[in-house]
Amino acid sequence: MAANTGALLDRPQLVEKVDARSEIWHYFAYIADSQGKPTDITKPICKKCFNPTQAKGANTSNLAKHLADRHPDLYKEFKEKQANKQMPAESATRKMRQPSLPAVLEVHRKYDKDSKDAKRLNRAVAEFICIDQVPIYTVEKSGFRNLVQQLDRKYDMPGRNHFIYNEIPKLYTETRDFIQSQLAHQPFFACTTDIWTSRAVDAYMAVTIHYITESWETQSWCLGCSALYSDHTAVCVHEVLEEIVSEKWGLNLSKMSAITTDNASNNKKAFENYTWIPCFGHNLHLAVGKALALTRVSNVLSRLRTTVSAFSRSNNLMRKLKEKQNTLNLPVQKLVHDEPTRWNSTFEMVDRFCIQQQAVCAVLAENRKKWHLMPKDADIATLEIIREVLGPLSSFTDALSGEKDPTLSSVLPLKWKLLSFLTVKEGEGPLSSEMKEKIKTDFTARYESRPLDTVLNTATFLDPRFKDSFVAMEEEVKVVLLEKSAEVSQQQTSLVQASKQQQEEDQGRAKKRKEDLKSLLSTIKFEKSVVEAKGAEGGHSTSPADKLTGEILLYKQMTDISASEDPLTWWKNHETTMPTLAHLARGYLCIPASSCASERVFSTSGFICSPRRIRLTEEHIETLVFLAKNLKMVQELTKK
C-alpha cells in the first residue's frame, strides 16, 4: 500500500495540449510548471507510462510509434477512433470533388427538342420576336445566343428557319383560333381600313374589327394586313375587304354596323353599299388644309420651314440656340418640322417657333450669313394668327383616336364645339376670319350627307350622356331603331326556324332512344328560344315594335349621365330593363369615329418592314403584323 502511494506522489503534474486536433493527444500531455503551463512542448509525456517522447509542432508520428511499441492495446484504440472520425469527412469530400458519371453527363446534356422544356422556351423566344417586333435573325446573333445560354445552359436554341416555318406559324394559328372564338357569337361589329405602301413599294390593306363584348367592354383586333396586287380601285378595295372579313374569318357582313375609312374617293365608292363613316381626323385635316393653303399663310409657312431646316442641319446653330435659350430663361427645346400628312404637326411647328422666337432671332442676328433666314415682322404676326386659330383645334384629332371608349357618339358634341371655335368674332382680323371660314365651310360640307347624319344622330341618341343634348333628328332616329329592331327580330326568327328544321331532320334520321337529361334540357332551351322569337314574355304577347317603343319612352325619361361617366357601364346596368335598345346600342356604340386603328397597324408594319428587312415576303409580313397587334391582348385575356 505504501509503495502505491509513493508511485502516485511521483507522478508529474500534466497539462493538456491546447487546440489538439488528432486523437493521439488523448494519450499524451505536457509536464506543467507551478503555474500550470507546459515546460517543454517538444517532449510530450505518455499518460500511461509517463515517459517523454520527441515531437515537434504538428508531427505526431513519434507519438503513434510510442503507442504501437509500448502500448499495443492503446494504439489499436487510437486507430479505431481515428478511422471513425476521418472516414465520413473523407467520403463527403470525395463525393463533392468527384461527381458521378451520370451527374457529369446530366450537366452537359441538352434538352431534347421534343421535351416540354424545349417547347416552352421555343415558344417564349417566338413570343419575344413577335411582341417586341425584333428581326427573326436575332436568334442567330452571338450576343442573344450567349444571353440565352447564360439563362439556361441546357437549352439548345434552334435557328431562324425553325421559328419562321414552325414556331411563328403555330403561334399564328393559336392566336387566330382564339380570336375566331371571340368573334363567333357577336351580333354586331364595325371595321376600319386603310392602305399603306412599304419601303419595298408593296401595297398593303389593313382591316381592324371593333365590337362590344357581353360584359360591355370595347374590343378590337387586327384581322389582317393583306398585300394588294392590283391598282387601288374601288372594286379592288371592296374585294379585299370581303376576302378578309367574309372568306378568311367567316364573318357575316350583314352584321357589320359600319366601316370607317379616310375620304379617298375609292373608299367612298367601294363601301357605298355599307354604312360608310368618314374618319373625323381626316375630315379635320382636309378642312384645316384649306386654311393653310391660303397664299399668305402658305408663303409664311414655307419660309418658316426653311428656317427650321437650317437649324436642324447645323450643329453650330443648335448649340447657339441652346445658349440663347438658357440666357433668356426659355425652355430648352428643339425646333419642330412639320409633316405634310398631319396638320397638327404644322401647328406644333408654329407654336414651337413662337415660343422660341426671341432665341431664334438672337442667334440669326449674330450671323450675317444667316440674316436671310430672319423672319420679318409681318411673318411673325401671321404666325401668331395661325397659332391662335389652330390652337383650340389641336386636341380634336386625338380626342376620337382611342379604341377603348365609344367615339362615334361623341362626333356631334365635338363638331358643335369645333364650330363654336370657328365662329368669327366681332373685330377679328381679316386673315383670322378667312381661315376660320375656310375650315368651317369645308368641315361642315363633309357632314351634310343625310345617311351619315342619321347614323351620327342614332349613335348619339343611344349614348346616355348626350341623348337629350345633341340629337337633332329624334323622330328619324326612332324610325331607324324600329327598322333595325324588325330586321334583328326577323333574323332571329329565321335562325330559330332553321334550327327547328335541322332538329326535326336530325330526329327523323336518328334512332329512337330513351330521352336523357341532356336531350330534355336541349328541347327546353329550343322551346324557350322560339317563345322569345315570337315576342312572348311573362305570359303576354307584345310585338317587337311596341316593345321597343316602350323602351325608348322609358329611356327618354331617364336623366342624362355625366359626360365623364362610361356609357357602356350604364348600359350594362340597364340591359335587363331595356334589352332591345341595349342590343341596338351594341351595334352603334362599337363604330369608331376615326380610322386611327388601321393607321396604327401601319406604324407596326413600318417598324417590322425596316430597311434591313425589306426582303420579307408578304406572307411573313402579314403574319408578323397580325401577331404584333394581337398576341399581347390574347395573352392578357387568357390570363383572366
Side-chain angles (χ1 to χ4, degrees):
M1 185 72 180
N4 292 336
T5 305
L8 291 173
L9 293 174
D10 291 339
R11 288 183 180 181
Q13 184 180 358
L14 302 178
V15 58
E16 299 289 340
K17 177 178 172 60
V18 180
D19 298 331
R21 297 182 180 181
S22 175
E23 292 292 331
I24 197 71
W25 290 103
H26 286 286
Y27 308 98
F28 292 88
Y30 297 115
I31 298 177
D33 59 12
S34 59
Q35 297 179 355
K37 296 182 178 181
T39 57
D40 189 356
I41 60 174
T42 63
K43 295 181 178 181
I45 301 296
C46 177
K47 293 180 182 180
K48 182 73 174 177
C49 61
F50 301 105
N51 290 320
T53 304
Q54 191 74 20
K56 294 183 179 180
N59 189 353
T60 60
S61 59
N62 288 341
L63 303 182
K65 183 179 180 182
H66 175 85
L67 288 183
D69 293 344
R70 299 192 179 188
H71 312 290
D73 56 335
L74 294 181
Y75 181 75
K76 182 179 180 181
E77 179 183 334
F78 157 68
K79 295 300 289 184
E80 291 177 354
K81 289 183 178 179
Q82 188 181 40
N84 293 334
K85 180 178 180 181
Q86 292 182 354
M87 284 185 64
E90 291 175 355
S91 300
T93 304
R94 190 180 301 109
K95 185 176 181 181
M96 178 181 66
R97 294 181 179 178
Q98 299 179 356
S100 64
L101 181 59
V104 173
L105 295 176
E106 183 63 27
V107 171
H108 297 280
R109 181 182 295 134
K110 299 293 185 180
Y111 293 132
D112 186 82
K113 64 179 182 178
D114 295 325
S115 67
K116 182 178 179 180
D117 290 319
K119 291 179 179 180
R120 173 178 57 84
L121 293 172
N122 286 342
R123 183 183 179 90
V125 173
E127 291 175 350
F128 159 70
I129 291 171
C130 297
I131 294 177
D132 289 351
Q133 304 164 37
V134 299
I136 301 177
Y137 60 73
T138 302
V139 299
E140 296 182 351
K141 292 290 185 179
S142 59
F144 182 70
R145 297 189 72 88
N146 177 64
L147 170 64
V148 173
Q149 283 296 300
Q150 295 299 321
L151 296 174
D152 193 337
R153 293 187 179 277
K154 293 185 177 182
Y155 176 49
D156 187 14
M157 187 166 56
R160 70 170 75 182
N161 287 339
H162 175 79
F163 291 98
I164 291 175
Y165 300 109
N166 292 280
E167 290 298 329
I168 293 179
K170 187 189 304 180
L171 204 58
Y172 174 85
T173 301
E174 294 177 5
T175 304
R176 192 182 186 283
D177 290 343
F178 178 85
I179 298 175
Q180 189 85 58
S181 66
Q182 298 289 305
L183 300 176
H185 305 291
Q186 296 303 326
F188 299 105
F189 63 86
C191 290
T192 72
T193 185
D194 202 357
I195 297 175
W196 167 76
T197 303
S198 70
R199 289 182 173 89
V201 201
D202 295 321
Y204 294 87
M205 178 173 166
V207 177
T208 64
I209 189 171
H210 309 259
Y211 60 91
I212 296 175
T213 65
E214 293 182 358
S215 58
W216 286 92
E217 295 178 351
T218 56
Q219 183 63 59
S220 61
W221 302 102
C222 171
L223 294 185
C225 184
S226 298
L228 298 180
Y229 300 102
S230 60
D231 294 337
H232 308 164
T233 61
V235 175
C236 175
V237 173
H238 180 82
E239 289 178 351
V240 173
L241 176 77
E242 289 190 341
E243 177 185 352
I244 294 176
V245 177
S246 183
E247 296 180 15
K248 287 187 177 181
W249 288 90
L251 299 175
N252 189 351
L253 285 170
S254 64
K255 294 183 178 181
M256 187 171 70
S257 302
I259 182 168
T260 305
T261 72
D262 59 28
N263 286 267
S265 58
N266 59 341
N267 285 332
K268 292 181 181 180
K269 187 175 181 180
F271 307 122
E272 59 186 0
N273 294 328
Y274 302 109
T275 301
W276 175 72
I277 305 296
C279 175
F280 181 89
H282 194 236
N283 281 344
L284 185 57
H285 172 79
L286 295 175
V288 172
K290 297 294 183 181
L292 298 181
L294 293 172
T295 303
R296 180 179 170 185
V297 174
S298 62
N299 290 341
V300 171
L301 291 177
S302 178
R303 289 190 287 270
L304 177 60
R305 292 186 186 101
T306 303
T307 301
V308 172
S309 297
F311 276 84
S312 301
R313 294 192 300 264
S314 173
N315 176 264
N316 184 39
L317 291 179
M318 289 298 299
R319 187 177 66 254
K320 291 183 177 181
L321 177 63
K322 186 176 181 179
E323 294 173 357
K324 294 298 181 182
Q325 289 170 340
N326 291 324
T327 303
L328 298 171
N329 293 323
L330 293 173
V332 179
Q333 300 170 329
K334 294 183 178 180
L335 299 182
V336 177
H337 202 293
D338 64 341
E339 294 290 338
T341 58
R342 293 174 53 245
W343 75 265
N344 47 346
S345 67
T346 303
F347 166 74
E348 292 169 1
M349 178 181 69
V350 173
D351 182 61
R352 180 64 56 84
F353 174 80
C354 291
I355 294 173
Q356 302 294 340
Q357 172 199 334
Q358 285 182 287
V360 172
C361 293
V363 172
L364 297 177
E366 294 178 354
N367 190 340
R368 292 179 59 89
K369 295 181 179 180
K370 303 296 182 181
W371 281 5
H372 66 283
L373 298 174
M374 182 80 71
K376 301 180 176 61
D377 292 342
D379 290 351
I380 294 176
T382 301
L383 293 173
E384 291 289 353
I385 294 173
I386 296 172
R387 182 191 188 194
E388 182 181 353
V389 173
L390 300 185
L393 311 180
S394 60
S395 61
F396 281 85
T397 300
D398 295 334
L400 295 179
S401 61
E403 299 179 41
K404 295 299 182 183
D405 301 304
T407 54
L408 189 67
S409 59
S410 302
V411 169
L412 291 182
L414 289 179
K415 178 186 173 185
W416 176 85
K417 184 63 176 177
L418 188 146
L419 294 179
S420 67
F421 280 134
L422 296 174
T423 302
V424 178
K425 301 176 183 178
E426 185 177 353
E428 199 161 5
L431 180 60
S432 176
S433 301
E434 188 177 5
M435 289 184 65
K436 287 184 176 182
E437 193 62 35
K438 286 284 186 182
I439 299 173
K440 183 177 181 179
T441 301
D442 187 86
F443 186 79
T444 304
R446 298 184 182 278
Y447 287 96
E448 290 181 346
S449 169
R450 187 71 176 180
L452 174 61
D453 205 15
T454 302
V455 174
L456 294 177
N457 275 267
T458 305
T460 308
F461 178 79
L462 293 172
D463 191 325
R465 299 173 297 177
F466 310 124
K467 62 182 175 64
D468 293 330
S469 306
F470 295 96
V471 179
M473 304 169 59
E474 186 171 321
E475 293 304 321
E476 290 88 340
V477 167
K478 292 179 180 179
V479 172
V480 170
L481 292 177
L482 288 172
E483 292 176 353
K484 289 288 184 182
S485 177
E487 291 177 6
V488 171
S489 178
Q490 185 177 1
Q491 291 174 358
Q492 292 177 345
T493 303
S494 300
L495 291 175
V496 171
Q497 291 176 350
S499 176
K500 182 179 180 180
Q501 182 179 358
Q502 182 66 36
Q503 186 180 29
E504 291 175 350
E505 292 176 358
D506 294 341
Q507 289 176 349
R509 289 192 300 264
K511 293 182 179 180
K512 195 172 183 180
R513 67 173 185 267
K514 185 176 179 180
E515 187 174 52
D516 57 5
L517 178 60
K518 291 183 178 179
S519 61
L520 178 61
L521 293 176
S522 178
T523 303
I524 293 173
K525 183 178 179 181
F526 172 74
E527 291 176 354
K528 185 175 183 298
S529 65
V530 173
V531 171
E532 291 177 347
K534 291 180 178 180
E537 183 174 326
H540 61 277
S541 178
T542 305
S543 67
D546 293 339
K547 185 177 179 181
L548 179 59
T549 302
E551 291 182 9
I552 292 176
L553 182 61
L554 177 62
Y555 179 60
K556 282 291 296 178
Q557 292 174 350
M558 295 180 176
T559 307
D560 284 7
I561 63 175
S562 170
S564 60
E565 295 185 53
D566 185 6
L568 299 184
T569 302
W570 187 94
W571 275 113
K572 181 179 181 180
N573 297 330
H574 294 82
E575 182 177 11
T576 54
T577 308
M578 298 170 287
T580 305
L581 205 57
H583 185 75
L584 296 175
R586 289 181 187 272
Y588 282 91
L589 297 183
C590 71
I591 303 173
S594 171
S595 60
C596 288
S598 293
E599 295 173 8
R600 294 189 183 101
V601 173
F602 294 138
S603 297
T604 303
S605 304
F607 191 76
I608 291 175
C609 191
S610 62
R612 297 184 64 182
R613 305 170 72 188
I614 59 175
R615 294 178 63 186
L616 282 171
T617 64
E618 291 86 351
E619 293 79 7
H620 288 156
I621 291 177
E622 181 175 3
T623 299
L624 293 173
V625 171
F626 177 84
L627 290 173
K629 295 300 296 182
N630 297 322
L631 182 56
K632 188 174 181 180
M633 179 58 66
V634 170
Q635 291 177 340
E636 293 176 358
L637 293 177
T638 51
K639 290 178 182 178
K640 290 184 178 180

